[in-house]
Amino acid sequence: DLMIIGLVIGILVLYFRNNKKEGFQNIGEANNNFNVDLVLKKNIDVFIVPRKPGQDGFVLQNQNDKNAVFVNKNRGGWEKMRLEHKNGGTYIISLKNGNVLQQSEDKNARFENKNKQLWEKMKIIVRNNNLDDVYIQSLKKKHNGSYHNLQSENNARNARFSNPNFGSWERMR
């Protein structure tokens, strides 16, 4: 079993090296669905875009009221995020004001403050070895014991951590 896991890890590392996906490193765990948890080798600046039909191209934005939303297709200062690996998790930092994405108690995604604690700690999950099939999972457990994924919810384009699903509403690129 360890030999097979080592082989899968080696293949994934080669895949990411050969496809020049800068800034990512496999932490060495793959499950039966070939999900890979990634950690960053260095901080990288990104735009977070949902793959949900009807909202593809909309970009995660930090609004003045600290809400995280997918309201337009702009790629400016309000939408640019920095991914930073620290304390066993990834933090998504808005370059607008330095506030960090968090899962609030009511499951909303917010840029409430500059903390880098449990409420802000995320995991980046790549499914099927495809960086266009990415999920952002909050590591703050909800009362049912599951981790929830960032999603673009309904036509209001709210960013929320509503459930642990891996569907089209939660898929990012």
Side-chain angles (χ1 to χ4, degrees):
D1 287 87
L2 289 177
M3 193 163 146
I4 292 171
I5 291 171
L7 178 63
V8 169
I9 291 167
I11 290 169
L12 292 172
V13 169
L14 285 174
Y15 171 83
F16 286 111
R17 282 186 189 153
N18 291 337
N19 288 286
K20 297 180 174 48
K21 302 301 182 187
E22 292 293 323
F24 290 102
Q25 175 184 354
N26 178 357
I27 63 168
E29 292 188 19
N31 68 21
N32 293 333
N33 294 323
F34 296 103
N35 295 344
V36 179
D37 299 340
L38 295 176
V39 296
L40 301 170
K41 293 189 292 186
K42 61 183 179 181
N43 295 343
I44 57 173
D45 296 345
V46 298
F47 296 99
I48 297 172
V49 181
R51 298 291 307 266
K52 178 181 173 186
Q55 292 187 13
D56 193 13
F58 285 81
V59 183
L60 182 68
Q61 181 184 93
N62 174 8
Q63 294 196 317
N64 284 332
D65 62 3
K66 301 181 181 178
N67 283 320
V69 294
F70 297 99
V71 293
N72 59 48
K73 296 182 179 186
N74 296 346
R75 293 184 182 235
W78 287 40
E79 296 84 18
K80 196 171 206 176
M81 306 293 160
R82 176 163 291 147
L83 301 182
E84 177 183 307
H85 182 72
K86 182 178 178 181
N87 302 326
T90 298
Y91 297 90
I92 300 172
I93 303 162
S94 170
L95 295 184
K96 174 185 168 196
N97 60 10
N99 284 5
V100 182
L101 183 69
Q102 69 169 232
Q103 176 186 339
S104 68
E105 197 58 43
D106 60 1
K107 300 181 186 177
N108 287 321
R110 295 186 48 83
F111 290 95
E112 194 65 41
N113 53 50
K114 294 173 176 48
N115 294 347
K116 293 179 185 169
Q117 303 295 324
L118 181 61
W119 289 53
E120 296 82 19
K121 191 181 280 191
M122 305 289 163
K123 177 167 58 171
I124 308 295
I125 299 172
V126 177
R127 295 192 64 172
N128 304 313
N129 302 328
N130 182 352
L131 286 177
D132 283 331
D133 197 5
V134 175
Y135 299 83
I136 299 169
Q137 190 172 76
S138 171
L139 294 179
K140 178 183 179 285
K141 281 191 181 180
K142 295 305 290 180
H143 54 57
N144 64 3
S146 64
Y147 296 111
H148 289 196
N149 295 320
L150 181 67
Q151 70 173 224
S152 174
E153 187 170 88
N154 299 324
N155 291 329
R157 297 192 174 98
N158 295 326
R160 291 181 46 89
F161 293 94
S162 294
N163 57 56
N165 296 349
F166 286 95
S168 63
W169 288 31
E170 294 82 19
R171 192 168 70 170
M172 305 289 161
R173 63 180 166 120

